[in-house]
Amino acid sequence: MRLLRLGAAGHEYPAVSIDDASTQHAATFDLSTITADVDADFLAADGIARTRAALASNELAPINVSGTRIGAPIARPGKVVCIGLNYRDHAEEGGQAIPAEPVLFMKAPNTVVGPYDDVLIPRASTKTDWEIELGVVIAKTARYLESPAAAREVIAGYVISHDVSEREFQLERGGQWDKGKSCETFNPLGPWLVPIEDITNPDSLRMRLWVNGEIRQDGSTSALIFGVDYVIWYLSQFMVLEPGDLINTGTPAGVALGMPDQPYLKPDDVVELEIDQLGRQRQVFVQA
């Protein structure tokens, strides 16, 4: 089962997609009779379970999605919390020490856009970079979780998250990471939110990113320094996580910052991203 949102930016409607064994193709259904949106209220009210029940009882109307824009699979999150330097090879390529505890930073919620939307290279930017990440969406309020094992009870599901970054703004303009992460359109998300129950092994998902057809990142969530459950538990000791929040868990090696020639993104560059079981993204980068 895959949750998604369809339609023009700002006017998306909720839908659910499943694989139809009889046709060997995906079938998509309108979720508007269940919820107005895939948002905090939907997740907090056991919307995923209600969606499964509606599918099982054939309550949902099928829809044709051909040619329809796919938006981010969740409405604007309350907050986007990110983990930096969470893959050993990524820390090493940037000359950074392996962190003893998760490195936290925030990203503005309005950076979230659809998985195929254009991404804007900021004005005066010369160091716009790519980062494929496993995104985790929260389903239940989490504060002071007792252990990493308790994290599974508050996770709605997983999603491809593109943590686009401007390295000069991030690292050379006052040492504040947020302003290198929060530029407009800097978090393409989707195409789907896949519920936690539908992911075979979130601790071993292959993740790849291409720039203009050339592979740049090829890693696996098995190489996370701090695994997903640990990250959610850890965050809950410092802040309250709420339904609809998005957690970006870090990126493997292969970003422009870590390459000798630092081939940062330019207008008309095309970035494609893929994570096992979570689908694929494609963005064209354009000048703001």
Side-chain angles (χ1 to χ4, degrees), residues 2-288:
R2 301 174 289 268
L3 297 168
L4 66 163
R5 297 167 68 246
L6 302 168
H11 300 279
E12 295 92 347
Y13 60 92
V16 60
S17 175
I18 59 172
D19 292 326
D20 187 334
S22 63
T23 65
Q24 302 298 311
H25 293 95
T28 304
F29 301 86
D30 189 349
L31 261 186
S32 298
T33 56
I34 299 292
T35 181
D37 210 342
V38 181
D39 55 12
D41 290 341
F42 168 79
L43 295 170
D46 291 326
I48 291 176
R50 289 189 290 118
T51 299
R52 288 192 195 280
L55 284 169
S57 59
N58 295 317
E59 296 176 25
L60 303 178
I63 53 176
N64 183 351
V65 300
S66 178
T68 303
R69 173 185 174 270
I70 298 178
I74 57 171
R76 182 186 294 190
K79 54 184 173 289
V80 180
V81 188
C82 306
I83 309 299
L85 306 176
N86 201 19
Y87 287 79
R88 183 178 298 271
D89 56 2
H90 176 55
E92 290 173 345
E93 74 175 347
Q96 304 288 321
I98 304 301
E101 294 188 50
V103 175
L104 310 184
F105 62 91
M106 307 292 282
K107 193 164 183 136
N110 64 0
T111 58
V112 173
V113 294
Y116 308 111
D117 292 345
D118 290 347
V119 174
L120 302 177
I121 297 174
R123 296 180 183 182
S125 168
T126 59
K127 297 183 178 181
T128 294
D129 205 348
W130 58 83
E131 291 191 19
I132 186 172
E133 307 207 3
L134 176 67
V136 181
V137 177
I138 302 299
K140 299 177 181 178
T141 300
R143 53 165 61 84
Y144 298 114
L145 293 177
E146 294 184 1
S147 69
R152 295 285 168 116
E153 298 300 318
V154 305
I155 294 173
Y158 305 99
V159 62
I160 302 175
S161 190
H162 190 181
D163 178 22
V164 185
S165 308
E166 211 298 339
R167 302 303 188 186
E168 181 184 6
F169 298 176
Q170 176 188 355
L171 302 172
E172 303 171 33
R173 299 288 297 274
Q176 179 55 259
W177 282 25
D178 293 17
K179 65 174 171 277
K181 300 283 189 170
S182 293
C183 303
E184 187 178 8
T185 71
F186 262 29
N187 205 139
L189 196 68
W192 315 307
L193 169 62
V194 181
I196 185 171
E197 301 87 356
D198 293 285
I199 295 297
T200 306
N201 186 0
D203 299 316
S204 184
L205 296 175
R206 189 179 182 189
M207 49 204 309
R208 289 173 288 178
L209 179 147
W210 297 260
V211 179
N212 299 326
E214 182 175 353
I215 189 76
R216 292 298 194 181
Q217 292 184 275
D218 190 350
S220 169
T221 57
S222 63
L224 282 163
I225 297 171
F226 305 104
V228 169
D229 294 349
Y230 185 92
V231 163
I232 302 305
W233 165 80
Y234 183 88
L235 290 174
S236 78
Q237 310 306 306
F238 298 93
M239 64 185 75
V240 177
L241 301 178
E242 298 178 324
D245 285 350
L246 171 66
I247 315 301
N248 289 337
T249 58
T251 197
V255 299
L257 175 67
M259 297 180 180
D261 56 344
Q262 296 191 327
Y264 291 111
L265 293 164
K266 307 177 299 299
D268 299 324
D269 281 347
V270 176
V271 178
E272 297 170 278
L273 307 85
E274 183 176 77
I275 297 181
D276 287 352
Q277 303 178 58
L278 299 180
R280 191 177 178 97
Q281 296 186 0
R282 181 183 187 275
Q283 297 105 39
V284 177
F285 279 67
V286 300
Q287 186 63 54

